[in-house]
Amino acid sequence: MRRMVPSLVDLCVQTAIDNVRYLGDVGETDSHLLERILPHCSLEQLIHVENSTQGRDLSQVTDRLWKRFYQIQFGEKSTNQVVERMKQKKVTFKWKLLYEAKSKEVEETQQRSFERIKELYQKEDAKRQSRQVRVCTKVPPSSNKRSFWGSGPGSSFCNTKSTLMKKAKIEFVNSREVKNLAAMKNKAVQRNHSHSQISPAKKPGGFSSMASSSRSNFTSR
């Protein structure tokens, strides 16, 4: 079986498809040729071709292509809803305009969602910072004040001070100087006590009574 030789038109169409990224103003190219070439364009390439072509409306060729991009981007369900609404209202819109309107609607919806999320984050951040400020500015209880229940930093300080005072007092009482002073004091007390027991026999009154007794005995003789 002999292989068919492509025509010159087919070769030109295939060359255009292979270099579709370089397409711009298609000028007066026949619509049936564009129907074979433009379906190979991406969304950006199709926009570029339409914007570059001057003095010609390509919607007769590109409208079905825009419907396909609409369906790819927003889903078959949304596409069917648009078709049904146009039938109900007996109106027709170009799919390029529908695509642009839908894209703008989606973008605005996303922007509103971003703003709401941003606002929620700001409120949450403000609450968190407010809690941090309240915690940082809280004045701790004074260590000089004793708690009613005897607990807390003030109570610990007082207990520590009392323990140190008791320890210092015990060390002072047991020191050598205090013991020597106590011993000297005890000796002085004992000396005074013994002196108080001997002193009545040495009083002048005692000798006087003895002398009187001797005289009376002598007189009686």
Side-chain angles (χ1 to χ4, degrees), residues 3-214:
R3 183 178 179 182
M4 294 182 60
V5 178
S7 65
L8 182 60
V9 174
D10 293 335
L11 292 175
C12 292
V13 169
Q14 187 60 47
T15 302
I17 293 173
D18 294 339
N19 297 275
V20 70
R21 62 184 180 277
Y22 301 116
L23 289 180
D25 188 353
V26 293
E28 299 298 328
T29 307
D30 293 342
S31 296
H32 71 279
L33 297 178
L34 294 177
E35 290 176 354
R36 296 174 59 183
I37 298 171
L38 295 183
H40 298 275
C41 292
S42 65
L43 177 63
E44 291 76 13
Q45 291 168 353
L46 183 62
I47 293 174
H48 176 69
V49 168
E50 288 192 305
N51 292 338
S52 301
T53 301
Q54 302 295 324
R56 184 179 179 183
D57 183 11
L58 298 177
S59 60
Q60 292 182 352
V61 178
T62 61
D63 192 59
R64 64 184 182 88
L65 302 179
W66 279 106
K67 182 180 179 180
R68 186 188 67 182
F69 286 127
Y70 187 103
Q71 185 174 359
I72 293 173
Q73 184 68 25
F74 306 114
E76 184 176 358
K77 181 179 180 180
S78 178
T79 305
N80 294 335
Q81 288 177 348
V82 172
V83 173
E84 187 65 27
R85 288 172 184 173
M86 287 193 295
K87 287 182 179 180
Q88 291 176 356
K89 296 183 179 182
K90 297 180 180 181
V91 293
T92 303
F93 296 101
K94 294 180 180 180
W95 281 99
K96 179 181 180 181
L97 298 178
L98 293 173
Y99 183 94
E100 293 174 350
K102 185 67 174 179
S103 299
K104 184 177 180 180
E105 179 185 349
V106 171
E107 183 179 356
E108 290 177 350
T109 302
Q110 290 178 346
Q111 186 63 30
R112 287 194 298 268
S113 300
F114 290 152
E115 292 296 332
R116 287 196 297 269
I117 294 173
K118 182 180 178 181
E119 184 178 356
L120 291 175
Y121 271 111
Q122 289 176 347
K123 288 182 179 179
E124 188 64 25
D125 187 60
K127 289 181 181 179
R128 183 167 57 252
Q129 291 181 358
S130 178
R131 287 195 295 267
Q132 292 176 354
V133 169
R134 285 199 297 269
V135 171
C136 293
T137 56
K138 185 177 180 181
V139 179
S142 176
S143 59
N144 295 328
K145 293 182 179 181
R146 186 172 183 179
S147 174
F148 177 79
W149 301 105
S151 61
S155 176
S156 300
F157 176 76
C158 293
N159 293 336
T160 304
K161 183 178 180 181
S162 177
T163 303
L164 293 175
M165 291 296 292
K166 289 180 180 179
K167 184 177 180 181
K169 185 176 180 181
I170 293 172
E171 292 178 354
F172 175 74
V173 171
N174 294 330
S175 63
R176 181 176 300 177
E177 291 79 1
V178 174
K179 289 182 179 181
N180 292 337
L181 290 173
M184 292 174 62
K185 185 176 181 181
N186 290 334
K187 289 181 181 180
V189 171
Q190 292 176 1
R191 194 181 304 114
N192 292 334
H193 182 69
S194 61
H195 178 71
S196 64
Q197 291 178 348
I198 298 173
S199 59
K202 294 182 180 180
K203 286 184 178 180
F207 290 106
S208 175
S209 60
M210 291 176 64
S212 299
S213 177
S214 300

